[in-house]
Coordinates of all heavy atoms in Angstrom, one line a residue:
G201 N -79.7 -12.8 1.8 CA -81.1 -12.7 2.2 C -82.0 -12.5 0.9 O -83.0 -13.4 0.7
I202 N -81.8 -11.6 0.2 CA -82.8 -11.3 -0.9 C -82.5 -12.4 -1.9 O -83.4 -12.7 -2.6 CB -82.5 -9.9 -1.5 CG1 -83.6 -9.5 -2.5 CG2 -81.1 -9.7 -2.1 CD1 -84.9 -9.4 -1.9
I203 N -81.2 -12.9 -2.1 CA -81.0 -13.9 -3.0 C -81.9 -15.2 -2.6 O -82.5 -15.9 -3.4 CB -79.6 -14.3 -3.1 CG1 -78.8 -13.2 -3.7 CG2 -79.3 -15.6 -4.0 CD1 -77.4 -13.2 -3.7
C204 N -82.0 -15.6 -1.3 CA -82.8 -16.6 -0.9 C -84.2 -16.4 -1.2 O -85.0 -17.4 -1.7 CB -82.5 -16.9 0.5 SG -81.0 -17.6 0.9
T205 N -84.7 -15.3 -1.1 CA -86.1 -14.9 -1.3 C -86.4 -15.0 -2.8 O -87.4 -15.6 -3.1 CB -86.4 -13.4 -0.7 OG1 -86.1 -13.3 0.6 CG2 -87.9 -13.0 -1.1
M206 N -85.5 -14.4 -3.6 CA -85.8 -14.5 -5.1 C -85.6 -15.9 -5.6 O -86.4 -16.1 -6.6 CB -84.8 -13.5 -5.7 CG -85.1 -12.0 -5.4 SD -86.7 -11.5 -5.4 CE -86.9 -11.5 -7.2
T207 N -84.7 -16.7 -5.1 CA -84.6 -18.0 -5.7 C -85.7 -19.0 -5.2 O -86.0 -20.0 -5.9 CB -83.3 -18.6 -5.2 OG1 -83.1 -18.6 -3.9 CG2 -82.1 -17.9 -5.9
S208 N -86.5 -18.6 -4.1 CA -87.5 -19.5 -3.8 C -88.9 -19.2 -4.5 O -89.8 -20.0 -4.6 CB -87.7 -19.5 -2.2 OG -88.1 -18.2 -1.9
L209 N -88.9 -18.0 -5.1 CA -90.2 -17.7 -5.8 C -90.5 -18.5 -7.0 O -91.6 -19.0 -7.1 CB -90.1 -16.2 -6.2 CG -90.1 -15.1 -5.0 CD1 -89.8 -13.7 -5.5 CD2 -91.4 -15.2 -4.3
P210 N -89.7 -18.7 -7.9 CA -89.9 -19.6 -9.1 C -90.1 -21.0 -8.7 O -91.0 -21.6 -9.3 CB -88.9 -19.4 -10.0 CG -87.7 -18.8 -9.3 CD -88.2 -18.0 -8.0
I211 N -89.5 -21.4 -7.8 CA -89.6 -22.8 -7.3 C -91.0 -23.2 -6.8 O -91.6 -24.0 -7.0 CB -88.5 -23.3 -6.3 CG1 -87.2 -23.2 -7.1 CG2 -88.7 -24.7 -5.8 CD1 -85.9 -23.3 -6.2
M212 N -91.4 -22.2 -5.8 CA -92.7 -22.4 -5.2 C -93.8 -22.0 -6.1 O -94.9 -22.7 -5.9 CB -92.8 -21.5 -4.0 CG -91.8 -21.8 -2.8 SD -92.1 -23.7 -2.3 CE -93.8 -23.5 -1.6
S213 N -93.6 -21.2 -7.1 CA -94.8 -21.0 -8.0 C -95.0 -22.3 -8.9 O -96.2 -22.5 -9.3 CB -94.4 -19.8 -8.9 OG -93.3 -20.1 -9.7
V214 N -93.9 -22.9 -9.2 CA -94.2 -24.2 -9.9 C -94.8 -25.3 -9.1 O -95.7 -26.1 -9.4 CB -92.8 -24.7 -10.5 CG1 -92.9 -26.2 -11.1 CG2 -92.3 -23.7 -11.6
E215 N -94.4 -25.4 -7.8 CA -94.8 -26.4 -6.8 C -96.3 -26.1 -6.5 O -97.0 -26.9 -6.0 CB -93.9 -26.4 -5.7 CG -92.7 -27.0 -5.8 CD -91.8 -27.4 -4.6 OE1 -92.3 -27.0 -3.5 OE2 -90.6 -27.5 -4.8
R216 N -96.7 -24.8 -6.6 CA -98.1 -24.4 -6.1 C -99.2 -25.2 -7.0 O -100.1 -25.8 -6.4 CB -98.2 -22.9 -6.3 CG -99.6 -22.5 -5.8 CD -99.7 -21.1 -5.7 NE -99.5 -20.5 -7.0 CZ -99.8 -19.2 -7.3 NH1 -100.0 -18.3 -6.3 NH2 -99.6 -18.7 -8.4
A217 N -98.9 -25.3 -8.4 CA -99.8 -26.1 -9.2 C -99.9 -27.6 -8.7 O -101.0 -28.2 -8.6 CB -99.4 -26.0 -10.6
V218 N -98.7 -28.2 -8.4 CA -98.7 -29.5 -8.0 C -99.4 -29.6 -6.7 O -100.2 -30.6 -6.4 CB -97.3 -30.0 -7.8 CG1 -97.2 -31.4 -7.3 CG2 -96.5 -29.9 -9.2
Y219 N -99.3 -28.7 -5.8 CA -100.0 -28.7 -4.5 C -101.5 -28.6 -4.7 O -102.2 -29.4 -4.0 CB -99.5 -27.6 -3.6 CG -100.4 -27.2 -2.4 CD1 -100.4 -28.3 -1.3 CD2 -101.3 -26.3 -2.4 CE1 -101.3 -28.1 -0.3 CE2 -102.2 -26.2 -1.3 CZ -102.2 -27.0 -0.3 OH -103.0 -26.9 0.9
Y220 N -102.0 -27.7 -5.5 CA -103.5 -27.7 -5.7 C -104.0 -29.0 -6.2 O -105.0 -29.5 -5.8 CB -103.8 -26.5 -6.6 CG -103.6 -25.3 -6.0 CD1 -103.1 -24.2 -6.7 CD2 -104.1 -25.0 -4.7 CE1 -103.0 -22.9 -6.0 CE2 -103.9 -23.8 -4.1 CZ -103.4 -22.7 -4.7 OH -103.3 -21.5 -4.1
R221 N -103.3 -29.7 -7.2 CA -103.7 -30.9 -7.7 C -103.8 -32.0 -6.7 O -104.8 -32.7 -6.5 CB -102.8 -31.3 -8.8 CG -103.3 -32.5 -9.6 CD -102.2 -33.2 -10.6 NE -101.1 -33.6 -9.9 CZ -99.8 -33.4 -10.3 NH1 -99.6 -32.7 -11.3 NH2 -98.8 -33.9 -9.6
E222 N -102.6 -32.0 -5.9 CA -102.6 -33.2 -4.8 C -103.5 -32.9 -3.7 O -104.1 -33.8 -3.1 CB -101.1 -33.3 -4.4 CG -100.2 -33.9 -5.5 CD -98.9 -34.0 -5.1 OE1 -98.4 -33.4 -4.1 OE2 -98.0 -34.6 -5.9
R223 N -103.8 -31.6 -3.4 CA -104.7 -31.2 -2.3 C -106.1 -31.5 -2.7 O -107.0 -32.0 -2.0 CB -104.6 -29.8 -1.9 CG -105.5 -29.3 -1.0 CD -105.0 -29.9 0.4 NE -106.0 -29.3 1.4 CZ -106.8 -30.1 2.1 NH1 -106.9 -31.4 1.9 NH2 -107.6 -29.6 3.0
A224 N -106.4 -31.4 -4.0 CA -107.8 -31.7 -4.5 C -108.0 -33.2 -4.4 O -109.1 -33.7 -4.2 CB -107.9 -31.2 -5.9
A225 N -106.9 -34.0 -4.6 CA -107.1 -35.4 -4.4 C -107.0 -36.0 -2.9 O -107.0 -37.1 -2.7 CB -106.0 -36.1 -5.2
N226 N -107.0 -34.9 -1.9 CA -106.8 -35.2 -0.5 C -105.6 -36.1 -0.2 O -105.8 -37.0 0.7 CB -108.2 -35.9 0.0 CG -109.3 -34.9 0.0 OD1 -109.1 -33.7 0.3 ND2 -110.5 -35.4 -0.3
M227 N -104.6 -35.9 -0.7 CA -103.4 -36.6 -0.5 C -102.7 -36.1 0.9 O -102.1 -37.0 1.5 CB -102.3 -36.5 -1.5 CG -102.8 -37.1 -2.9 SD -101.7 -37.0 -4.2 CE -100.6 -38.4 -3.7
Y228 N -102.9 -34.8 1.3 CA -102.4 -34.4 2.5 C -102.9 -33.0 2.8 O -103.7 -32.5 2.0 CB -100.9 -34.2 2.4 CG -100.3 -33.5 1.1 CD1 -100.3 -32.3 0.9 CD2 -99.6 -34.4 0.2 CE1 -99.9 -31.8 -0.2 CE2 -99.1 -33.9 -0.9 CZ -99.2 -32.5 -1.1 OH -98.7 -32.0 -2.3
T229 N -102.8 -32.6 4.0 CA -103.3 -31.3 4.4 C -102.4 -30.2 4.1 O -101.3 -30.4 3.8 CB -103.6 -31.3 5.9 OG1 -102.4 -31.4 6.6 CG2 -104.6 -32.4 6.3
A230 N -102.9 -28.9 4.2 CA -102.1 -27.8 4.0 C -101.0 -27.7 5.1 O -99.9 -27.3 4.8 CB -102.9 -26.5 3.9
K231 N -101.3 -28.0 6.2 CA -100.3 -27.9 7.4 C -99.2 -29.0 7.1 O -98.0 -28.6 7.3 CB -101.0 -28.2 8.7 CG -100.2 -28.1 9.8 CD -100.9 -28.3 11.1 CE -100.0 -28.2 12.4 NZ -100.8 -28.4 13.5
A232 N -99.5 -30.1 6.7 CA -98.5 -31.1 6.3 C -97.6 -30.7 5.3 O -96.3 -30.8 5.3 CB -99.1 -32.5 6.0
Y233 N -98.1 -30.1 4.2 CA -97.3 -29.6 3.1 C -96.4 -28.5 3.6 O -95.2 -28.4 3.2 CB -98.2 -29.1 1.9 CG -97.5 -28.5 0.8 CD1 -96.8 -29.4 0.0 CD2 -97.3 -27.2 0.5 CE1 -96.1 -29.0 -1.1 CE2 -96.5 -26.7 -0.4 CZ -96.1 -27.6 -1.3 OH -95.2 -27.1 -2.4
A234 N -96.9 -27.5 4.3 CA -96.1 -26.5 4.8 C -94.9 -26.8 5.7 O -93.9 -26.4 5.6 CB -97.0 -25.4 5.5
M235 N -95.2 -27.8 6.5 CA -94.3 -28.3 7.5 C -93.1 -29.1 6.7 O -91.9 -28.9 6.9 CB -94.9 -29.3 8.5 CG -95.7 -28.6 9.5 SD -94.8 -27.5 10.6 CE -93.8 -28.6 11.5
S236 N -93.6 -29.9 5.7 CA -92.6 -30.6 4.9 C -91.6 -29.7 4.0 O -90.5 -29.9 3.9 CB -93.4 -31.6 4.0 OG -94.0 -30.9 3.0
V237 N -92.3 -28.5 3.5 CA -91.4 -27.7 2.7 C -90.5 -26.9 3.6 O -89.3 -26.8 3.3 CB -92.4 -26.7 2.0 CG1 -91.6 -25.5 1.5 CG2 -93.2 -27.3 0.9
G238 N -90.9 -26.6 4.8 CA -90.0 -26.0 5.8 C -88.9 -26.8 6.3 O -87.7 -26.4 6.3
V239 N -89.1 -28.0 6.6 CA -88.2 -29.1 7.2 C -87.2 -29.4 6.1 O -86.0 -29.5 6.4 CB -88.9 -30.3 7.7 CG1 -87.8 -31.3 8.1 CG2 -89.7 -29.9 9.0
V240 N -87.6 -29.5 4.8 CA -86.6 -29.9 3.8 C -85.7 -28.8 3.5 O -84.6 -29.0 3.1 CB -87.6 -30.2 2.5 CG1 -86.6 -30.3 1.3 CG2 -88.2 -31.5 2.6
E241 N -86.1 -27.5 3.7 CA -85.1 -26.4 3.5 C -83.9 -26.2 4.6 O -82.9 -25.7 4.2 CB -85.8 -25.0 3.4 CG -86.7 -24.9 2.2 CD -85.9 -24.5 1.1 OE1 -84.8 -24.0 1.1 OE2 -86.5 -24.8 -0.1
I242 N -84.2 -26.8 5.7 CA -83.2 -26.6 6.9 C -81.9 -27.1 6.6 O -80.9 -26.4 6.7 CB -83.9 -27.0 8.1 CG1 -85.1 -26.1 8.6 CG2 -82.9 -27.0 9.3 CD1 -85.9 -26.6 9.7
P243 N -81.7 -28.4 6.1 CA -80.3 -28.8 5.9 C -79.6 -27.9 4.8 O -78.3 -27.7 4.9 CB -80.4 -30.3 5.4 CG -81.8 -30.7 5.9 CD -82.7 -29.4 5.9
Y244 N -80.4 -27.6 3.8 CA -79.8 -26.7 2.8 C -79.3 -25.3 3.3 O -78.2 -24.9 3.1 CB -80.7 -26.6 1.7 CG -80.3 -25.5 0.6 CD1 -79.2 -25.7 -0.3 CD2 -80.9 -24.3 0.5 CE1 -78.8 -24.9 -1.2 CE2 -80.5 -23.3 -0.4 CZ -79.5 -23.5 -1.2 OH -79.1 -22.7 -2.1
L245 N -80.2 -24.7 4.2 CA -79.8 -23.6 4.8 C -78.7 -23.5 5.7 O -77.9 -22.6 5.7 CB -81.1 -22.8 5.5 CG -82.2 -22.5 4.5 CD1 -83.6 -22.1 5.3 CD2 -81.9 -21.5 3.3
V246 N -78.6 -24.6 6.5 CA -77.5 -24.8 7.4 C -76.2 -24.9 6.7 O -75.2 -24.3 6.9 CB -77.8 -26.0 8.3 CG1 -76.4 -26.4 9.0 CG2 -78.8 -25.8 9.3
M247 N -76.2 -25.6 5.6 CA -75.0 -25.9 4.7 C -74.6 -24.5 4.1 O -73.3 -24.2 4.2 CB -75.3 -26.9 3.5 CG -74.1 -27.2 2.7 SD -74.4 -28.1 1.3 CE -75.3 -27.0 0.3
I248 N -75.5 -23.7 3.4 CA -75.1 -22.6 2.7 C -74.5 -21.5 3.8 O -73.7 -20.7 3.4 CB -76.0 -22.0 1.8 CG1 -77.3 -21.6 2.5 CG2 -76.3 -22.9 0.6 CD1 -78.3 -20.9 1.5
S249 N -75.3 -21.4 4.9 CA -74.9 -20.4 5.9 C -73.5 -20.9 6.5 O -72.7 -20.0 6.7 CB -75.9 -20.3 7.1 OG -76.0 -21.4 7.7
G250 N -73.3 -22.1 6.8 CA -72.1 -22.6 7.3 C -70.9 -22.4 6.4 O -69.8 -21.9 6.7
V251 N -71.1 -22.6 5.0 CA -70.0 -22.3 4.1 C -69.6 -20.9 4.1 O -68.5 -20.5 4.1 CB -70.4 -22.9 2.7 CG1 -69.4 -22.4 1.6 CG2 -70.5 -24.4 2.7
F252 N -70.7 -20.0 4.0 CA -70.5 -18.6 4.0 C -69.7 -18.0 5.2 O -68.7 -17.3 5.1 CB -71.9 -17.8 3.8 CG -71.8 -16.4 3.8 CD1 -71.4 -15.7 2.6 CD2 -71.8 -15.6 5.0 CE1 -71.2 -14.3 2.6 CE2 -71.8 -14.3 4.8 CZ -71.5 -13.6 3.7
V253 N -70.2 -18.5 6.4 CA -69.7 -18.0 7.6 C -68.2 -18.5 7.7 O -67.3 -17.7 8.2 CB -70.5 -18.4 8.8 CG1 -69.8 -18.3 10.1 CG2 -71.8 -17.6 8.8
T254 N -67.9 -19.8 7.5 CA -66.6 -20.3 7.5 C -65.6 -19.6 6.7 O -64.5 -19.3 7.1 CB -66.7 -21.9 7.1 OG1 -67.5 -22.5 8.0 CG2 -65.3 -22.4 7.4
I255 N -66.0 -19.2 5.6 CA -65.1 -18.5 4.6 C -65.0 -17.0 5.1 O -63.8 -16.4 5.2 CB -65.6 -18.6 3.2 CG1 -65.6 -19.9 2.7 CG2 -64.9 -17.6 2.3 CD1 -66.3 -20.2 1.3
F256 N -66.0 -16.3 5.2 CA -65.9 -14.9 5.3 C -65.8 -14.4 6.8 O -65.3 -13.2 7.0 CB -67.2 -14.2 4.8 CG -67.2 -14.2 3.4 CD1 -68.0 -15.2 2.6 CD2 -66.4 -13.5 2.6 CE1 -68.0 -15.3 1.3 CE2 -66.4 -13.4 1.2 CZ -67.2 -14.5 0.5
Y257 N -66.0 -15.2 7.8 CA -66.0 -14.7 9.2 C -64.5 -14.3 9.5 O -64.2 -13.2 10.1 CB -66.4 -15.8 10.2 CG -66.4 -15.3 11.6 CD1 -67.5 -14.6 12.1 CD2 -65.3 -15.6 12.5 CE1 -67.5 -14.2 13.4 CE2 -65.3 -15.2 13.8 CZ -66.4 -14.4 14.2 OH -66.4 -14.1 15.6
F258 N -63.6 -15.0 9.1 CA -62.1 -14.8 9.4 C -61.5 -13.8 8.5 O -60.6 -13.2 8.7 CB -61.4 -16.1 9.5 CG -61.9 -17.1 10.6 CD1 -62.6 -18.2 10.2 CD2 -61.7 -16.8 11.9 CE1 -63.1 -19.0 11.2 CE2 -62.2 -17.6 12.8 CZ -62.9 -18.8 12.5
I259 N -62.1 -13.8 7.1 CA -61.6 -12.8 6.2 C -61.9 -11.5 6.6 O -61.1 -10.5 6.5 CB -62.1 -13.1 4.8 CG1 -61.4 -14.4 4.2 CG2 -61.7 -12.0 3.9 CD1 -62.1 -14.9 2.9
I260 N -63.0 -11.3 7.2 CA -63.6 -10.0 7.6 C -62.7 -9.5 8.8 O -62.4 -8.3 9.0 CB -65.0 -9.9 7.9 CG1 -65.8 -10.2 6.7 CG2 -65.4 -8.7 8.7 CD1 -67.2 -10.5 6.9
G261 N -62.2 -10.4 9.6 CA -61.4 -10.1 10.8 C -62.1 -10.0 12.1 O -61.7 -9.2 12.9
F262 N -63.3 -10.7 12.2 CA -63.9 -10.7 13.4 C -63.2 -11.4 14.5 O -62.1 -12.1 14.1 CB -65.4 -11.4 13.2 CG -66.3 -10.6 12.4 CD1 -67.3 -11.2 11.7 CD2 -66.3 -9.2 12.5 CE1 -68.3 -10.5 11.0 CE2 -67.3 -8.5 11.8 CZ -68.2 -9.2 11.0
Q263 N -63.6 -11.4 15.7 CA -62.9 -12.0 16.8 C -62.7 -13.5 16.6 O -63.6 -14.2 16.1 CB -63.7 -11.8 18.2 CG -63.7 -10.3 18.4 CD -64.5 -10.1 19.8 OE1 -64.9 -11.0 20.4 NE2 -64.7 -8.8 20.1
N264 N -61.6 -14.0 17.0 CA -61.2 -15.5 16.8 C -61.7 -16.3 18.1 O -61.0 -17.0 18.6 CB -59.9 -15.7 16.7 CG -59.4 -15.2 15.2 OD1 -60.1 -15.3 14.4 ND2 -58.1 -14.8 15.1
E265 N -63.0 -16.1 18.4 CA -63.6 -16.7 19.6 C -64.8 -17.7 19.1 O -65.5 -17.3 18.2 CB -64.0 -15.9 20.6 CG -62.8 -15.0 21.3 CD -63.4 -14.1 22.4 OE1 -64.5 -14.3 22.8 OE2 -62.6 -13.2 22.6
Y266 N -64.8 -18.9 19.6 CA -65.8 -19.9 19.0 C -67.2 -19.4 19.3 O -68.0 -19.5 18.4 CB -65.5 -21.2 19.8 CG -66.3 -22.4 19.2 CD1 -66.1 -22.8 17.9 CD2 -67.2 -23.0 20.0 CE1 -66.8 -23.9 17.3 CE2 -67.9 -24.1 19.4 CZ -67.7 -24.4 18.2 OH -68.4 -25.5 17.6
D267 N -67.5 -18.8 20.5 CA -68.9 -18.4 20.8 C -69.2 -17.4 19.9 O -70.4 -17.2 19.4 CB -69.0 -18.1 22.2 CG -68.1 -16.9 22.7 OD1 -67.1 -16.8 22.0 OD2 -68.5 -16.3 23.7
H268 N -68.4 -16.3 19.5 CA -68.8 -15.3 18.7 C -69.0 -15.8 17.2 O -69.9 -15.3 16.5 CB -67.6 -14.2 18.6 CG -67.5 -13.5 19.8 ND1 -67.9 -12.1 20.0 CD2 -67.0 -13.8 21.0 CE1 -67.7 -11.7 21.1 NE2 -67.1 -12.7 21.7
F269 N -68.2 -16.8 16.8 CA -68.5 -17.4 15.5 C -69.8 -18.1 15.5 O -70.5 -18.0 14.5 CB -67.2 -18.5 15.4 CG -67.5 -19.3 14.1 CD1 -67.0 -18.8 12.9 CD2 -67.9 -20.6 14.1 CE1 -67.1 -19.5 11.6 CE2 -68.1 -21.3 13.0 CZ -67.7 -20.7 11.7
L270 N -70.1 -18.9 16.5 CA -71.4 -19.6 16.6 C -72.6 -18.6 16.5 O -73.7 -18.8 16.0 CB -71.5 -20.5 17.7 CG -70.6 -21.7 17.6 CD1 -70.8 -22.6 18.8 CD2 -71.0 -22.6 16.4
Y271 N -72.5 -17.5 17.3 CA -73.5 -16.5 17.3 C -73.7 -15.8 15.9 O -74.8 -15.6 15.4 CB -73.3 -15.3 18.3 CG -73.6 -15.7 19.7 CD1 -72.6 -15.6 20.8 CD2 -74.7 -16.3 20.1 CE1 -72.8 -15.9 22.1 CE2 -74.9 -16.7 21.4 CZ -74.1 -16.5 22.3 OH -74.3 -16.9 23.6
Y272 N -72.5 -15.6 15.3 CA -72.7 -15.0 14.0 C -73.4 -16.0 13.0 O -74.3 -15.7 12.1 CB -71.3 -14.6 13.4 CG -71.3 -14.0 12.1 CD1 -71.8 -12.6 12.0 CD2 -70.8 -14.6 11.0 CE1 -71.9 -12.1 10.7 CE2 -70.8 -14.0 9.8 CZ -71.4 -12.6 9.5 OH -71.4 -12.1 8.3
W273 N -73.0 -17.3 13.1 CA -73.6 -18.3 12.3 C -75.1 -18.5 12.5 O -75.9 -18.5 11.5 CB -72.9 -19.7 12.5 CG -73.2 -20.7 11.5 CD1 -74.2 -20.7 10.6 CD2 -72.7 -22.0 11.4 NE1 -74.3 -21.9 9.8 CE2 -73.4 -22.8 10.5 CE3 -71.8 -22.6 12.1 CZ2 -73.1 -24.1 10.0 CZ3 -71.3 -23.9 11.7 CH2 -72.0 -24.6 10.7
L274 N -75.5 -18.4 13.7 CA -76.8 -18.5 14.1 C -77.7 -17.4 13.5 O -78.7 -17.5 13.0 CB -77.0 -18.6 15.7 CG -78.4 -18.5 16.2 CD1 -79.2 -19.9 15.8 CD2 -78.5 -18.5 17.8
Y275 N -77.1 -16.1 13.7 CA -77.8 -15.0 13.2 C -77.9 -15.0 11.8 O -79.0 -14.7 11.2 CB -76.9 -13.7 13.6 CG -77.5 -12.5 12.9 CD1 -78.7 -11.9 13.5 CD2 -76.8 -11.9 11.9 CE1 -79.2 -10.8 12.8 CE2 -77.5 -10.8 11.3 CZ -78.5 -10.2 11.7 OH -79.0 -9.1 11.1
L276 N -76.9 -15.4 11.0 CA -76.9 -15.5 9.6 C -78.0 -16.7 9.2 O -78.7 -16.5 8.2 CB -75.6 -15.8 8.9 CG -75.7 -15.7 7.4 CD1 -75.9 -14.3 6.9 CD2 -74.3 -16.3 6.8
F277 N -77.9 -17.7 9.8 CA -78.9 -18.8 9.6 C -80.3 -18.4 9.7 O -81.2 -18.6 8.9 CB -78.5 -20.0 10.4 CG -79.6 -21.2 10.2 CD1 -79.7 -22.0 9.2 CD2 -80.5 -21.3 11.4 CE1 -80.8 -22.9 9.0 CE2 -81.5 -22.3 11.3 CZ -81.6 -23.0 10.2
L278 N -80.6 -17.8 10.8 CA -82.0 -17.3 11.1 C -82.4 -16.2 10.0 O -83.5 -16.2 9.6 CB -82.1 -16.8 12.5 CG -82.0 -17.8 13.5 CD1 -82.0 -17.1 14.9 CD2 -83.1 -18.8 13.5
Y279 N -81.5 -15.4 9.6 CA -81.8 -14.4 8.6 C -82.1 -15.1 7.3 O -83.1 -14.7 6.7 CB -80.6 -13.5 8.5 CG -80.7 -12.5 7.4 CD1 -81.8 -11.6 7.4 CD2 -79.9 -12.5 6.3 CE1 -82.0 -10.6 6.3 CE2 -80.1 -11.6 5.2 CZ -81.1 -10.6 5.3 OH -81.3 -9.8 4.2
I280 N -81.2 -15.9 6.7 CA -81.5 -16.5 5.5 C -82.7 -17.5 5.5 O -83.4 -17.6 4.5 CB -80.3 -17.2 4.9 CG1 -79.9 -18.4 5.6 CG2 -79.2 -16.2 4.6 CD1 -78.8 -19.2 5.0
T281 N -83.0 -18.1 6.7 CA -84.2 -18.9 6.8 C -85.5 -18.0 6.7 O -86.4 -18.4 6.1 CB -84.1 -19.6 8.1 OG1 -83.0 -20.5 8.2 CG2 -85.4 -20.4 8.4
E282 N -85.5 -16.9 7.4 CA -86.6 -15.9 7.3 C -86.7 -15.4 5.9 O -87.9 -15.4 5.3 CB -86.4 -14.8 8.2 CG -87.4 -13.8 8.2 CD -87.2 -12.6 7.2 OE1 -86.0 -12.4 6.9 OE2 -88.2 -12.1 6.7
A283 N -85.7 -15.2 5.1 CA -85.8 -14.8 3.9 C -86.3 -15.8 2.9 O -87.2 -15.5 2.0 CB -84.4 -14.2 3.3
T284 N -85.9 -17.0 3.2 CA -86.4 -18.1 2.3 C -87.8 -18.3 2.5 O -88.7 -18.5 1.6 CB -85.6 -19.4 2.6 OG1 -84.3 -19.1 2.3 CG2 -86.0 -20.5 1.7
F285 N -88.2 -18.4 3.9 CA -89.8 -18.6 4.1 C -90.5 -17.4 3.6 O -91.6 -17.6 3.3 CB -89.9 -18.9 5.6 CG -89.3 -20.2 6.1 CD1 -89.0 -20.5 7.4 CD2 -89.0 -21.2 5.1 CE1 -88.6 -21.7 7.7 CE2 -88.4 -22.3 5.5 CZ -88.2 -22.7 6.9
L286 N -90.0 -16.2 3.6 CA -90.7 -15.2 3.2 C -90.9 -15.2 1.6 O -92.1 -14.9 1.1 CB -89.9 -13.8 3.4 CG -90.6 -12.5 2.7 CD1 -91.9 -12.3 3.5 CD2 -89.6 -11.4 2.9
G287 N -90.0 -15.7 0.9 CA -90.2 -15.9 -0.6 C -91.3 -17.0 -0.8 O -92.0 -16.9 -1.7
Q288 N -91.3 -18.1 0.0 CA -92.3 -19.1 -0.1 C -93.7 -18.5 0.2 O -94.7 -18.8 -0.4 CB -91.9 -20.2 0.8 CG -90.7 -21.0 0.3 CD -90.3 -22.0 1.3 OE1 -90.8 -22.2 2.4 NE2 -89.2 -22.8 1.0
F289 N -93.7 -17.7 1.2 CA -95.0 -17.0 1.6 C -95.6 -16.1 0.6 O -96.7 -16.1 0.3 CB -94.8 -16.3 3.0 CG -95.9 -15.6 3.4 CD1 -97.1 -16.2 4.0 CD2 -96.1 -14.2 3.3 CE1 -98.1 -15.6 4.6 CE2 -97.2 -13.5 3.7 CZ -98.2 -14.2 4.3
L290 N -94.7 -15.4 -0.1 CA -95.1 -14.4 -1.1 C -95.7 -15.0 -2.3 O -96.6 -14.5 -3.0 CB -93.9 -13.5 -1.5 CG -93.4 -12.5 -0.5 CD1 -92.1 -11.9 -1.1 CD2 -94.4 -11.6 -0.1
V291 N -95.3 -16.3 -2.6 CA -95.9 -17.0 -3.8 C -97.3 -17.3 -3.5 O -98.2 -17.3 -4.4 CB -95.1 -18.3 -4.0 CG1 -95.8 -19.1 -5.1 CG2 -93.7 -17.9 -4.5
V292 N -97.8 -17.5 -2.2 CA -99.2 -17.9 -1.9 C -100.1 -16.7 -2.2 O -101.3 -16.9 -2.7 CB -99.3 -18.1 -0.4 CG1 -100.7 -18.3 0.0 CG2 -98.4 -19.3 0.0
F293 N -99.6 -15.5 -2.2 CA -100.5 -14.3 -2.6 C -100.2 -13.8 -3.9 O -99.9 -13.4 -4.6 CB -100.3 -13.2 -1.5 CG -100.7 -13.6 -0.2 CD1 -99.9 -14.0 0.8 CD2 -102.2 -13.8 0.1 CE1 -100.2 -14.4 2.0 CE2 -102.5 -14.3 1.4 CZ -101.5 -14.6 2.3

């Protein structure tokens, strides 16, 4: 979680200058930029959460049931998604 937050901070701080330049040229709206940044992160977050859960779920010794595995994956995906979006949000202020 905190790693996703901390890794998104320097990336978004660099992209902020590009956003201001392109926004001044009326290339797109703030809503379109925010949506695109969010949508682009989703495949990456699915991948890293899937790799983590696939490796560590069975090592930890959780129940060997498919629905429990998917719930754990969903929970972890939502958690790191929230952490990543929080890091992007913090750069704004």
Side-chain angles (χ1 to χ4, degrees):
I202 191 69
I203 294 172
C204 291
T205 302
M206 297 306 291
T207 56
S208 66
L209 290 173
I211 295 169
M212 290 304 294
S213 63
V214 171
E215 288 184 10
R216 184 171 61 174
V218 175
Y219 166 73
Y220 285 138
R221 183 187 70 224
E222 293 174 353
R223 180 70 179 112
N226 287 327
M227 295 184 76
Y228 43 75
T229 64
K231 185 177 180 180
Y233 178 75
M235 292 293 292
S236 66
V237 168
V239 168
V240 165
E241 289 286 337
I242 291 174
Y244 170 72
L245 296 174
V246 168
M247 183 191 69
I248 63 171
S249 66
V251 169
F252 178 84
V253 169
T254 302
I255 293 171
F256 288 104
Y257 185 83
F258 300 106
I259 291 175
I260 294 171
F262 288 150
Q263 296 178 2
N264 288 333
E265 297 180 18
Y266 188 67
D267 58 338
H268 290 256
F269 177 80
L270 288 180
Y271 283 132
Y272 184 69
W273 189 355
L274 176 66
Y275 173 76
L276 186 71
F277 169 73
L278 293 175
Y279 172 65
I280 64 171
T281 301
E282 179 271 330
T284 302
F285 290 164
L286 175 67
Q288 294 171 353
F289 176 75
L290 289 175
V291 172
V292 175
F293 298 105

